[in-house]
């Protein structure tokens, strides 16, 4: 391994490029800039670039001051001009990896970013793919694109995969202090990648290949998807047994070893957990292998919005009412508490299903003032006593900490709670037995 190149990436004055300035790319760019490196961010969206250049943040985890401080110090700049990738010594690719309509991987963003890097590639550059994707993408998709013009990996340029582990809204584990896994195409690639990343990550975890790094990320997210699937199935079981699932989980969680707590809810959301395991399923189908755990978990998790709507139906039925014509207030549309991200949020399915049955649906979410879906627009309604008193049902879908769930419980005539946000308020039906989910309404 060339010591010079590793030393250059560890210590020299460098320019670091970040392609895709979203939830993942922008925190990475800011962290690198904080370490004193000059950072040039790239995005296709003019509005994103001009916002950053003007010292404004468009993501919740960074404030305007965080951006303005780095821009003002001359360490952070942004552009839509992909030709400027040639100015960068290291380049990280943080573009989206969604699913297509048929739920297959859509790696078109990775591909177009790789094409842009390829056009600008010059000897000595390091390229790191950060976007979550199936094992093999870096070697089979990115590498051929970069070698197209005759430069060779491991000698002329360096290529790694290093999965992003951003947890939006997490105040403890942020970009710098979250250990960072990284694997290169060759050992020199890994050495160069570690050298650059050691400047703005506290703990690095090298693995033997890009495939190992790619699979590590999908294991982490599949672990969550499968365990959430398991606990959601336990919730369905407990519902039939009329046992309070949350009480059971709390009791199990007192075991000091061998148990990890997951909680049930209205279904999976966000850009990662519902999406990433399908990248692995797809890849394994091409190798004639069926990923059974992923498929079962996905089936259970994607059924949860229907289960919640079934509870609304059941609660209204007890009040001799129909879903058709009822006014329903959905509380929380972001996919998890205290963030503003609605991507893949189960609340969207719940709203769709309720409206399809003729309900009039409003929502309240302090983090999402406006919601656009299927070409329609909703505005968050204020959470007043009048609103709560006038609806037929309040459904707690996401339990933001600033929402007064005790007041919701007190004022709304029927409450369906998919997050146990009203814990302690509903009284058990009889000793040790409780309906769960429908926490307030006729007969309770
Ligand atoms: N959001 C998370 O919590 C999270 C956590 C871990 C990993 N990831 C992964 O990180 C990747 C990025 O996710 P994100 O949430 O930051 O996405 P995002 O949608 O917030 O941001 C992506 C940005 O990339 C830009 N972009 C798209 N194609 C481009 C191109 N060819 N050139 C330049 N810019 C381009 C978009 O305009 C957008 O601003 C995904 O693979 C995701 O799975 C996300």
């Amino acid at each position: 391994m060339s010591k010079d190149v590793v030393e250059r990436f560890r210590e020299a004055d460098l320019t670091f490029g970040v392609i895709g300035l979203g939830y993942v790319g922008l925190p990475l760019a800011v962290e690198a800039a904080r370490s004193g490196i000059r950072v040039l961010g790239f995005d296709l969206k003019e509005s994103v670039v001009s916002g950053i250049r003007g010292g404004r943040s468009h993501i919740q985890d960074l404030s305007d001051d965080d951006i303005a401080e780095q821009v003002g110090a001359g360490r952070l700049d942004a552009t839509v001009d992909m030709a400027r990738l040639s100015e960068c010594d290291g380049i990280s690719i943080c573009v989206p990896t969604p699913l297509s309509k048929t739920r297959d991987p859509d790696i078109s963003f990775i591909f177009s970013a790789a094409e842009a890097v390829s056009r600008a590639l010059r000897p000595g550059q390091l390229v790191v793919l950060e976007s979550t994707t199936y094992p093999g993408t870096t070697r089979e998709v990115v590498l051929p694109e970069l070698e197209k013009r005759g430069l060779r990996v491991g000698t002329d340029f360096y290529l790694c995969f290093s999965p992003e582990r951003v947890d939006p809204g997490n105040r403890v584990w942020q970009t710098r202090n979250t250990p960072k896994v990284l694997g290169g195409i060759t050992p020199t690639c890994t050495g160069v990648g570690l050298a650059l990343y050691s400047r703005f990550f506290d703990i690095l975890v090298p693995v033997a290949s890009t495939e190992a790094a790619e699979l590590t990320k999908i294991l982490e997210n599949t672990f969550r998807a499968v365990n959430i699937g398991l606990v959601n199935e336990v919730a369905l079981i407990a519902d039939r047994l009329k046992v309070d699932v949350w009480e059971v989980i709390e009791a199990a969680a007192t075991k000091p070893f061998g148990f990890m707590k997951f909680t049930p809810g209205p279904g999976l959301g966000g850009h990662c957990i519902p999406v990433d395991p399908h990248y692995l399923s797809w890849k394994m189908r091409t190798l004639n292998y069926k990923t059974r755990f992923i498929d079962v978990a996905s089936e259970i998790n994607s059924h949860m919005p229907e289960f919640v709507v079934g509870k609304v139906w059941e609660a209204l039925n007890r009040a001799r009412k129909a879903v058709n014509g009822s006014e329903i207030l959905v509380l929380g549309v972001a996919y998890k508490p205290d963030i503003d991200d609605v991507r893949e949020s189960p609340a969207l399915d719940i709203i769709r299903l309720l409206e399809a049955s003729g309900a009039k649906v409003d929502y309240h979410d302090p983090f999402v003032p406006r919601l656009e879906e299927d070409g329609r627009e909703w505005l968050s309604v204020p959470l007043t006593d009048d609103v709560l008193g006038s609806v037929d049902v309040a459904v707690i879908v996401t339990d933001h900490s600033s929402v007064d769930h005790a007041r919701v419980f007190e004022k709304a005539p029927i409450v369906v709670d998919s997050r146990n946000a009203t814990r302690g308020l509903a009284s058990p039906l009889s000793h040790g037995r409780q309906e769960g989910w429908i926490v307030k309404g006729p007969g309770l």
Side-chain angles (χ1 to χ4, degrees):
M1 188 189 305
S2 160
K3 259 182 131 171
D4 288 355
V5 68
V6 171
E7 285 316 308
R8 181 164 72 85
F9 275 92
R10 204 193 312 274
E11 277 161 16
D13 197 14
L14 294 179
T15 299
F16 176 50
V18 177
I19 305 180
L21 300 170
Y23 287 86
V24 164
L26 193 53
L28 178 66
V30 167
E31 204 54 60
R34 280 180 185 142
S35 77
I37 292 176
R38 205 169 39 251
V39 179
L40 184 53
F42 296 83
D43 205 287
L44 298 177
K45 289 187 197 142
E46 185 69 59
S47 58
V48 166
V49 165
S50 57
I52 292 166
R53 299 193 80 175
R56 292 185 301 280
S57 171
H58 61 285
I59 66 163
Q60 198 192 324
D61 282 351
L62 291 169
S63 66
D64 289 350
D65 285 351
D66 290 327
I67 306 288
E69 191 185 338
Q70 301 309 320
V71 172
R75 288 190 293 262
L76 177 63
D77 195 4
T79 180
V80 289
D81 180 4
M82 304 303 273
R84 292 188 64 194
L85 283 165
S86 61
E87 292 171 31
C88 304
D89 302 282
I91 298 166
S92 289
I93 301 176
C94 308
V95 295
T97 42
L99 292 173
S100 69
K101 284 218 173 341
T102 53
R103 299 196 82 68
D104 287 335
D106 172 4
I107 57 162
S108 58
F109 298 92
I110 292 185
F111 195 72
S112 71
E115 273 181 333
V117 175
S118 177
R119 281 193 294 275
L121 195 68
R122 58 169 173 77
Q125 280 180 315
L126 163 70
V127 181
V128 185
L129 179 61
E130 296 254 347
S131 304
T132 308
T133 183
Y134 60 82
T137 310
T138 312
R139 195 182 301 273
E140 294 158 15
V141 177
V142 179
L143 179 59
E145 188 53 41
L146 299 190
E147 286 195 326
K148 227 158 74 179
R149 277 157 240 272
L151 295 180
R152 288 290 152 250
V153 72
T155 48
D156 301 326
F157 71 95
Y158 312 97
L159 177 60
C160 300
F161 182 83
S162 180
E164 189 46 63
R165 280 174 162 168
V166 169
D167 181 20
N170 193 324
R171 296 267 143 234
V172 177
W173 296 106
Q174 306 209 336
T175 305
R176 188 172 188 106
N177 65 350
T178 304
K180 193 84 168 100
V181 173
L182 181 142
I185 295 281
T186 70
T188 306
C189 295
T190 308
V192 173
L194 293 174
L196 176 63
Y197 274 19
S198 68
R199 298 168 80 150
F200 40 90
F201 289 102
D202 291 341
I203 299 171
L204 292 165
V205 185
V207 291
S209 63
T210 51
E211 287 81 1
E214 289 161 336
L215 187 54
T216 301
K217 173 68 187 183
I218 299 212
L219 166 62
E220 291 165 13
N221 286 356
T222 300
F223 173 84
R224 287 190 61 73
V226 166
N227 279 287
I228 293 168
L230 172 65
V231 84
N232 276 334
E233 184 166 51
V234 172
L236 301 178
I237 291 167
D239 183 63
R240 293 201 176 199
L241 295 172
K242 295 211 182 307
V243 171
D244 179 356
V245 69
W246 282 283
E247 184 186 28
V248 170
I249 292 165
E250 287 307 329
T254 59
K255 185 179 178 187
F257 47 85
F259 184 82
M260 188 177 284
K261 181 176 153 184
F262 284 82
T263 47
L268 292 182
H271 188 26
C272 293
I273 314 293
V275 172
D276 302 346
H278 292 284
Y279 269 67
L280 186 59
S281 299
W282 175 87
K283 173 71 183 179
M284 297 320 294
R285 279 201 301 277
T286 70
L287 300 174
N288 208 17
Y289 183 88
K290 193 167 154 45
T291 53
R292 286 156 290 178
F293 273 109
I294 292 175
D295 297 353
V296 170
S298 166
E299 193 184 314
I300 294 167
N301 290 330
S302 58
H303 167 70
M304 293 312 287
E306 244 172 276
F307 175 75
V308 173
V309 169
K311 286 291 162 192
V312 174
W313 179 90
E314 195 182 318
L316 281 167
N317 192 46
R318 281 192 217 152
R320 298 175 191 277
K321 287 185 177 175
V323 175
N324 195 347
S326 287
E327 295 196 11
I328 297 175
L329 180 67
V330 167
L331 287 165
V333 292
Y335 79 86
K336 68 174 186 174
D338 300 336
I339 64 158
D340 61 0
D341 192 348
V342 297
R343 291 179 294 179
E344 307 279 331
S345 173
L348 305 174
D349 285 330
I350 290 172
I351 292 174
R352 223 176 273 130
L353 288 166
L354 288 170
E355 288 201 331
S357 298
K360 179 183 174 305
V361 184
D362 279 316
Y363 83 92
H364 171 79
D365 191 313
F367 290 87
V368 187
R370 214 172 113 252
L371 180 64
E372 268 182 5
E373 188 65 12
D374 298 336
R376 286 195 44 204
E377 187 190 48
W378 291 262
L379 295 179
S380 173
V381 298
L383 196 61
T384 61
D385 289 356
D386 280 353
V387 167
L388 285 169
S390 68
V391 297
D392 294 295
V393 186
V395 192
I396 300 169
V397 176
T398 302
D399 50 340
H400 293 302
S401 50
S402 60
V403 171
D404 182 354
H405 292 106
R407 190 159 64 93
V408 172
F409 184 79
E410 187 194 332
K411 301 289 177 192
I414 296 177
V415 181
V416 173
D417 180 0
S418 71
R419 300 279 191 171
N420 199 24
T422 55
R423 65 190 75 83
L425 297 172
S427 50
L429 279 185
S430 62
H431 181 71
R433 293 170 76 80
Q434 167 163 334
E435 296 219 354
W437 304 90
I438 304 169
V439 290
K440 185 182 174 190
L444 291 177

